[in-house]
Amino acid sequence: MDHIAPLGPVYQAGTLSGNPLAMAAGLATLEQLTQPGFYTQLHARADKFYQQIDAVLARHGRPFYCDRIASIFYFYFKKEAGAPRNYQEIKQADGAAYASFFHAMLSKGVAMAPSPFEVAFVSAAHGAEELEATVQRLDQVLSDF
């Protein structure tokens, strides 16, 4: 910390830097993340969510895919099956279809990443009720898509 101003040459600033409420929230978050079994439970909840999403996507049979790793997931539209593995492949996804999807989900009360270049997360705040509601709304949106 001796390198940080005012003692050192590195200037650091931010809207919530050192804010007592932000620091308390950060510490509370770290305490939750370090609880035994936290990530096991999170990943199990995410896996169940992904299975439900896969069932909805299969039912609708559209060129729409959901790729995931742990609690991070990514929706994209493209003609060929398979997740994009680099920027060039991501650019081949149908951005206009994603934009329509984003706005349709938003109109149903589900805020997805606004860009097809972003990922989404299942968090500890997402319980079974929220995830099931998201799956139901995804099903509704794809029915109308």
Side-chain angles (χ1 to χ4, degrees):
M1 293 304 294
D2 289 342
H3 294 284
I4 306 294
L7 300 177
V10 178
Y11 178 74
Q12 193 282 328
T15 302
L16 298 177
S17 296
N19 177 289
L21 182 58
M23 299 304 292
L27 287 173
T29 299
L30 290 173
E31 288 172 8
Q32 290 297 311
L33 296 177
T34 58
Q35 293 297 311
F38 175 84
Y39 288 101
T40 301
Q41 293 172 8
L42 177 63
H43 295 162
R45 190 172 33 239
D47 287 342
K48 181 178 179 185
F49 177 60
Y50 302 145
Q51 289 170 3
Q52 294 171 325
I53 287 173
D54 287 343
V56 168
L57 297 179
R59 188 167 43 256
H60 291 281
R62 305 215 192 289
F64 178 57
Y65 304 94
C66 178
D67 200 17
R68 76 282 287 187
I69 183 168
S71 62
I72 301 170
F73 64 101
Y74 172 66
F75 285 124
Y76 56 99
F77 291 81
K78 69 178 210 174
K79 292 182 175 147
E80 308 84 34
R85 298 294 175 211
N86 57 51
Y87 181 66
Q88 291 303 321
E89 290 180 12
I90 289 171
K91 287 187 351 182
Q92 294 172 13
D94 187 342
Y98 185 89
S100 294
F101 165 75
F102 165 78
H103 288 289
M105 289 295 283
L106 193 58
S107 75
K108 301 273 186 206
V110 178
M112 302 299 302
S115 163
F117 299 103
E118 298 177 62
V119 298
F121 303 87
V122 175
S123 77
H126 295 115
E129 185 177 319
E130 291 84 12
L131 296 174
E132 288 171 16
T134 299
V135 170
Q136 290 171 358
R137 291 170 184 161
L138 174 65
D139 194 25
Q140 293 168 356
V141 164
L142 292 181
S143 292
D144 298 335
F145 208 73

